[in-house]
Structure formats: structure tokens, C-alpha cells
């Protein structure tokens, strides 16, 4: 007989937490919280997404309106070789698309800012124009029709 056998013939067993498998005392569940309890019920993520959508008539997930594509007068005079024409030149969104300054599938607004100089008379239509750009276009002999 040895000292550790005095008092009890049977060794005390450890408490069985998270029984089954070879994953130790917590059985892969962690220590505390809802995930460690039996009968846990975690909320699905899809449900939270559905709850966040507003329940109103006519609501639709529409994309936000795109900001206007901005050009300066200096960029236009450098990029468009057509501006060297002598007569008044019509500047529209379609002309910008044809010159390769806008993508062909572009559907947003275009705005013209007054940074730079105008070398030819422009007849601008269908494009928003800042006040400074409007003064420079009119001074060069062009017109602005928004």
C-alpha cells in the first residue's frame, strides 16, 4: 500500500463537461456565452438583413444618383481636336462620347467648370455650366443652352 491510496480505494473522477469526442473539457464550445449552453439558438444573419429593410410602400433598392461628371474648359480645349474649327462648335454629351471623353454607356449629368481658356466659339447644350465657364464661353463668342 502507498500513501496516495490511504482513505479511498477509488480515485475521484473529474467532472465531465462537454462529454463525447476527443476535444477536452469544453468540447470546442468555448467557455461562456450563448454558444456554450445547451439548447442555444443563434439568430440567422439573413433575418437581421430583412429586418433592416424599411417596410414602406414604394420602397425599392435603387442605386444612388451618380454625381455629375466634371470637365474643365482647359481639359476640353486640350482633349478635343475639334475645337480648332473656325465656326461655332456644338458641344453636347454625344460629342463628348464620340471624342472618347465619356464612356458610351454614360447616363449621368455632365458639368463644365471654368478652369482654363476657350479657344473657339462653343454652343453648349444639354450640359450644366458654372457661372465662370459661362462668362468665358460667351466672351469667346459662344452660347450656353442648358
Amino acid at each position: 500500500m502507498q500513501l496516495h491510496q490511504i482513505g479511498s480505494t477509488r480515485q475521484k473522477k473529474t467532472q465531465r463537461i462537454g462529454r463525447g469526442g476527443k476535444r477536452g473539457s469544453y468540447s470546442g464550445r468555448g467557455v461562456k456565452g450563448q454558444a456554450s449552453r445547451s439548447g442555444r439558438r443563434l439568430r440567422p444573419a439573413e433575418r437581421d438583413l430583412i429586418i433592416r429593410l424599411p417596410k414602406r410602400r414604394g420602397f425599392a433598392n435603387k442605386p444612388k444618383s451618380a454625381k455629375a461628371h466634371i470637365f474643365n474648359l482647359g481639359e476640353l480645349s486640350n482633349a478635343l481636336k475639334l475645337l480648332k474649327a473656325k465656326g461655332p462648335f456644338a458641344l453636347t454629351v454625344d460629342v463628348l462620347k464620340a471624342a472618347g471623353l465619356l464612356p458610351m454607356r454614360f447616363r449621368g449629368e455632365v458639368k463644365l467648370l471654368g478652369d482654363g481658356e476657350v479657344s473657339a466659339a462653343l454652343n453648349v447644350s444639354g450640359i450644366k455650366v458654372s457661372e465662370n465657364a459661362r462668362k468665358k464661353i460667351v466672351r469667346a463668342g459662344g452660347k450656353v443652352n442648358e
Side-chain angles (χ1 to χ4, degrees), residues 65-113:
S65 61
K67 292 183 179 178
H69 200 286
I70 296 173
F71 287 106
N72 283 314
L73 289 176
E75 294 174 22
L76 282 181
S77 60
N78 289 338
L80 290 175
K81 303 300 180 191
L82 301 172
L83 287 177
K84 294 183 179 176
K86 297 291 181 191
F89 177 72
L91 183 66
T92 61
V93 176
D94 294 331
V95 171
L96 294 175
K97 287 180 183 179
L101 294 174
L102 286 175
M104 294 305 281
R105 299 178 67 190
F106 182 75
R107 296 273 186 258
E109 294 178 342
V110 177
K111 185 160 185 176
L112 199 57
L113 300 182

Side-chain angles (χ1 to χ4, degrees), residues 100 114 143 145:
K143 289 191 290 185
N145 302 323

Side-chain angles (χ1 to χ4, degrees), residues 25-80:
S25 61
Y26 294 110
S27 184
R29 289 177 174 233
V31 181
K32 291 183 183 178
Q34 185 181 2
S36 69
R37 316 283 186 219
S38 64
R40 62 162 179 170
R41 179 80 175 120
L42 290 177
R43 188 176 206 168
E46 294 87 10
R47 183 175 172 86
D48 288 335
L49 292 174
I50 291 169
I51 287 174
R52 286 183 192 142
L53 290 175
K55 290 192 271 187
R56 296 194 180 112
R57 291 178 59 202
F59 176 80
N61 283 322
K62 296 176 186 171
K64 293 181 179 177
S65 61
K67 292 183 179 178
H69 200 286
I70 296 173
F71 287 106
N72 283 314
L73 289 176
E75 294 174 22
L76 282 181
S77 60
N78 289 338
L80 290 175

Side-chain angles (χ1 to χ4, degrees), residues 69-77 91 110-125 127-146:
H69 200 286
I70 296 173
F71 287 106
N72 283 314
L73 289 176
E75 294 174 22
L76 282 181
S77 60
L91 183 66
V110 177
K111 185 160 185 176
L112 199 57
L113 300 182
D115 190 20
E117 292 299 322
V118 182
S119 59
L122 294 176
N123 289 339
V124 180
S125 61
I127 297 175
K128 290 187 175 186
V129 180
S130 70
E131 197 61 39
N132 194 12
R134 181 187 306 271
K135 289 176 185 175
K136 289 183 180 182
I137 291 170
V138 171
R139 194 179 323 138
K143 289 191 290 185
V144 176
N145 302 323
E146 286 187 44

